[in-house]
């Protein structure tokens, strides 16, 4: 029987551990996503090769097997990770590889006119990334990052197999102690759904703010919806003016 004591002792702390694993893994994954995603567009072939190798290797790995390797095999080389960090590292490395493709694809989708405008204005590569390409690519990254973050949330259940006391681990303990399989796993499904829903709402708010930052809020025009790209139009105009002066 599910008791209030179990909830306060195991289940609620388990939910908090799940949130911690999700946040920490997402932070590592975002850092890797942008690092590898930007490196795959580098002008130096060796950087592109190494970034592409990372993407291919970790995209093809099982997060669970990598977690086992980091927890059980890594100590043989003199590195001992606590279960939480073994899980966070495995999830962050794996999902960071998927995220790097989102970054690379979104940057590649920025129109050539925008990039040419930065060149015409004599911007350095870093300035073009910071002022032109990333601000326009970021709103396109948010929806796929939202999906990836939800997949990461669901993937945190894997850490229970290396004794991290997340809510899946707590649910399994409760099932073994009470033999109430259906109520326990139904509760887990509901909790994962609630967390995923909160992530989706937060990411949609972030997407709206990102689009508002570059003047791409939806605008009603004759009964249809269009995107107003004030910043992009001004950059294109700058590019055309610079071209005309040349």
């Amino acid at each position: 029987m599910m008791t209030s004591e179990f909830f306060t002792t195991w289940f609620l702390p388990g939910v908090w551990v799940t949130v911690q694993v999700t946040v920490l893994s997402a932070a590592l994954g975002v850092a890797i996503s942008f690092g590898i995603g930007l490196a795959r567009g580098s002008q130096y072939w060796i950087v592109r090769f190494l970034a592409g190798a990372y993407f291919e290797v970790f995209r093809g790995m099982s997060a669970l097997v990598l977690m086992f390797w980091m927890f059980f095999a890594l100590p043989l080389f003199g590195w001992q990770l606590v279960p939480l960090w073994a899980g966070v590292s495995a999830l962050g490395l794996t999902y960071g590889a998927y995220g790097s493709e989102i970054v690379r694809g979104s940057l590649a989708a920025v129109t050539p006119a925008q990039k040419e405008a930065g060149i015409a204005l004599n911007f350095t590569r870093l300035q073009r990334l910071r002022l032109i390409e990333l601000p326009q690519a970021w709103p396109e990254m948010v929806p796929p990052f939202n999906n990836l973050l939800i997949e990461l949330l669901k993937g945190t259940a894997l850490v229970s197999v290396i004794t991290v006391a997340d809510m899946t681990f707590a649910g399994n303990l409760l099932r073994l102690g009470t033999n109430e399989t259906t109520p326990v796993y139904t509760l887990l499904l509901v909790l994962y759904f609630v967390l995923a829903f909160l992530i989706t709402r937060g990411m949609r708010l972030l997407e709206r703010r990102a689009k508002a930052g570059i003047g791409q809020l939806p605008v009603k025009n004759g009964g249809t919806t269009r995107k107003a790209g004030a910043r992009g139009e001004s950059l294109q105009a700058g590019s055309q003016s610079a071209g005309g002066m040349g």
Side-chain angles (χ1 to χ4, degrees):
M1 181 177 181
M2 292 187 284
T3 64
S4 59
E5 182 181 358
F6 178 86
F7 275 92
T8 56
T9 304
W10 285 99
F11 221 96
L12 291 181
V15 173
W16 173 236
V17 170
T18 295
V19 172
Q20 284 183 298
V21 173
T22 302
V23 171
L24 293 173
S25 301
L28 176 60
V30 166
I32 292 174
S33 296
F34 278 90
I36 299 299
L38 292 173
R40 292 179 67 193
S42 172
Q43 59 182 327
Y44 303 106
W45 73 268
I46 186 64
V47 176
R48 294 196 305 272
F49 173 79
L50 293 175
Y54 176 93
F55 170 72
E56 294 295 342
V57 169
F58 282 91
R59 183 182 63 168
M61 283 187 178
S62 164
L64 179 59
V65 175
L66 180 60
M67 199 176 298
F68 282 150
W69 189 89
M70 299 190 77
F71 186 60
F72 294 110
L74 200 57
L76 300 177
F77 299 93
W79 291 83
Q80 179 67 59
L81 294 178
V82 297
L84 176 66
W85 287 110
V88 166
S89 300
L91 292 172
L93 290 170
T94 303
Y95 285 90
Y98 296 125
S100 69
E101 180 65 10
I102 296 174
V103 174
R104 185 203 65 80
S106 298
L107 287 173
V110 176
T111 58
Q114 305 297 316
K115 301 174 184 179
E116 293 168 2
I119 296 173
L121 294 172
N122 202 29
F123 285 175
T124 64
R125 174 58 179 159
L126 182 59
Q127 287 175 319
R128 294 198 303 273
L129 274 174
R130 183 171 61 88
L131 299 175
I132 298 176
E133 296 178 32
L134 281 176
Q136 296 193 55
W138 172 239
E140 305 303 322
M141 297 180 195
V142 176
F145 267 131
N146 178 33
N147 293 332
L148 191 61
L149 187 54
I150 291 174
E151 289 298 320
L152 173 59
L153 167 67
K154 294 184 290 185
T156 59
L158 297 175
V159 301
S160 64
V161 301
I162 56 172
T163 70
V164 177
D166 70 327
M167 62 185 187
T168 299
F169 185 86
N172 284 328
L173 285 181
L174 180 59
R175 182 187 65 83
L176 292 173
T178 64
N179 202 30
E180 295 183 1
T181 301
T182 301
V184 169
Y185 288 128
T186 300
L187 178 60
L188 283 175
L189 288 174
V190 170
L191 286 172
Y192 277 110
F193 169 77
V194 169
L195 291 175
F197 180 78
L198 293 175
I199 288 173
T200 298
R201 300 306 299 175
M203 293 296 282
R204 285 180 179 174
L205 178 61
L206 182 62
E207 181 183 6
R208 287 197 297 269
R209 290 187 175 183
K211 289 184 176 181
I214 60 173
Q216 289 188 354
L217 287 175
V219 177
K220 296 292 183 180
N221 182 17
T224 60
T225 303
R226 67 180 180 85
K227 300 291 184 181
R231 182 185 177 115
E233 291 169 359
S234 64
L235 287 171
Q236 288 182 353
S239 175
Q240 292 171 357
S241 299
M245 291 175 63

